[in-house]
Amino acid sequence: MATVKTRLTIKRLHPLFVAEVTGIDLTRPIPREEFRTIWDAFNEHQIIVFRNQAFDDDSQIAFSHNFGELETMVAHPGNDWNPGHISVMTNLGKDGKMLPLDHPAMIHRDRNEAWHSDSSFKPVAALASLLSARIVPPVGGNTDFASARAAYEALPAERKAELEGRTAIHRITHPDMDEDKGYDEEAKKRHTVTQPLLRTNPVNGRKALYVGAHAQEIVGMPLKEGRSMLDELTAFCTQPQFVYSHHWRDGDAVIWDNRCTLHRATSFDKTKYKRKLHRTTIAGKAPDSAFERMPEPQRSCAAPLSRKIWR
Ligand code: OGA
Ligand code: MN
């Protein structure tokens, strides 16, 4: 049998972060030495874009397992009520037809339009998320990504020193959102966690701001002051020079490092175009625990952290 030689190439898509990797079919088992290249690129570039990947859910899950255990989600509007490892970002109902704009699943998904890091409200936040494009709109519906690492590195030294050692409270719910008022109290409690305001990638020691929509208070600071500092830091991270906007093409797959990037969905004409992307989420380790070694491929799943996990 002839051996197929793959040639991985890495091309930067933004001056500060994001690389496109070509020359690999992710739907097949990935040899460890090739995964090493991807793992290193992921730690270095924070976001990796792959094109023309014919993922179905099984092959997406199998590839994601190279990065570690996956988060498991229970049935909710974000996964079309199918519990498991796949979350669906779509404006379509189960019947494939466009949902009305006031449908609960649509309202819920609109919240992805706020800058956030996936699962930052969980005791062990997500390491990475992988979205694969199944149906894309011809215009709009980009996903925007911000480098919270490049933003941190651009801060003046005094500001960096002020932030050092601080922690923030992240919540699944938002105090200003009416729809959150009736949220299950027990789930709310479980999804209120303290996270470091700065996170360090243990592979390369590079630090990043850890902020976004779920970060709502700074521990040891008056509520209002902490909130405005968090808003200011999120605004700082998401300035145009730190942002890459991904325009989806059919077959695109993008994996991002939730420890050092923020992302948001952007709007499109949801009454005219269809959009469907499937997400797998790779579970993290305890905050900033040693994670120097490349992960071993996983077969098992992380235990569900909650009965109600929305992102
Ligand atoms: C996500 C997410 C944004 C989008 O999948 O976690 O926030 O553009 N998606 O659909
Ligand atoms: Mn998200």
Side-chain angles (χ1 to χ4, degrees):
M1 198 172 68
T3 27
V4 183
K5 267 224 145 101
T6 51
R7 229 172 278 138
L8 287 187
T9 62
I10 300 176
K11 183 178 90 182
R12 205 52 177 263
L13 297 183
H14 181 281
L16 298 170
F17 69 139
V18 192
E20 179 178 328
V21 171
T22 56
I24 188 160
D25 176 359
L26 304 179
T27 67
R28 290 162 194 270
I30 310 291
R32 293 304 279 165
E33 64 277 15
E34 287 194 353
F35 184 68
R36 160 63 67 190
T37 307
I38 294 171
W39 172 247
D40 289 345
F42 169 78
N43 282 293
E44 170 72 19
H45 303 290
Q46 309 173 260
I47 295 171
I48 307 292
V49 173
F50 303 93
R51 310 276 188 192
N52 304 313
Q53 301 297 327
F55 273 134
D56 57 16
D57 289 348
D58 287 345
S59 55
Q60 179 168 346
I61 287 170
F63 171 66
S64 302
H65 269 144
N66 283 291
F67 288 84
E69 295 189 340
L70 304 189
E71 289 191 356
T72 306
M73 270 149 280
V74 291
H76 69 72
N79 55 25
D80 284 348
W81 306 101
N82 293 316
H85 295 317
I86 299 284
S87 294
V88 184
M89 307 294 142
T90 188
N91 60 331
L92 307 178
K94 272 199 165 135
D95 58 2
K97 295 209 176 97
M98 283 179 259
L99 293 169
L101 296 177
D102 60 357
H103 189 280
M106 296 292 280
I107 293 168
H108 175 71
R109 289 196 183 97
D110 283 349
R111 297 179 70 167
N112 277 341
E113 293 180 18
W115 288 103
H116 65 278
S117 173
D118 290 333
S119 305
S120 73
F121 48 81
K122 293 184 197 169
V124 178
L127 167 72
S129 302
L130 170 66
L131 262 187
S132 79
R134 308 296 175 89
I135 303 175
V136 298
V139 281
N142 281 19
T143 306
D144 288 347
F145 295 96
S147 175
R149 178 190 286 173
Y152 170 78
E153 288 172 358
L155 286 171
E158 321 77 79
R159 190 65 163 154
K160 286 182 180 158
E162 268 167 33
L163 302 178
E164 201 61 50
R166 289 228 176 246
T167 53
I169 296 174
H170 290 234
R171 291 195 182 89
I172 192 167
T173 52
H174 200 282
D176 300 342
M177 296 265 190
D178 277 346
E179 62 182 277
D180 282 354
K181 300 251 152 69
Y183 216 93
D184 173 326
E185 281 306 315
E186 199 251 334
K188 227 155 124 173
K189 234 197 220 142
R190 250 178 309 136
H191 291 133
T192 298
V193 301
T194 305
Q195 301 284 14
L197 192 54
L198 303 178
R199 294 193 67 178
T200 307
N201 176 316
V203 173
N204 53 29
R206 293 177 75 178
K207 287 185 185 175
L209 288 159
Y210 195 55
V211 288
H214 300 298
Q216 294 167 8
E217 290 178 38
I218 294 186
V219 176
M221 263 174 105
L223 193 65
K224 258 187 137 169
E225 219 177 291
R227 265 278 203 84
S228 69
M229 184 158 152
L230 288 164
D231 289 348
E232 184 198 313
L233 291 171
T234 299
F236 185 81
C237 282
T238 56
Q239 294 174 93
Q241 68 269 34
F242 303 129
V243 172
Y244 163 78
S245 185
H246 188 75
H247 175 67
W248 292 97
R249 294 188 216 154
D250 253 347
D252 281 0
V254 177
I255 185 161
W256 63 88
D257 187 338
N258 280 302
R259 301 169 300 182
C260 56
T261 60
L262 293 173
H263 64 280
R264 67 170 179 190
T266 68
S267 201
F268 64 102
D269 190 339
K270 295 171 188 167
T271 60
K272 196 167 166 193
Y273 302 125
K274 297 182 175 185
R275 182 179 193 262
K276 196 169 195 245
L277 298 110
H278 284 202
R279 193 184 90 195
T280 38
T281 313
I282 295 107
K285 304 268 165 185
D288 296 337
S289 67
F291 200 56
E292 275 92 4
R293 287 188 321 130
M294 187 167 85
E296 290 301 319
Q298 296 294 317
R299 303 272 170 270
S300 61
C301 320
L305 288 168
S306 139
R307 293 185 302 115
K308 206 170 178 188
I309 296 172
W310 294 108
R311 290 206 169 100

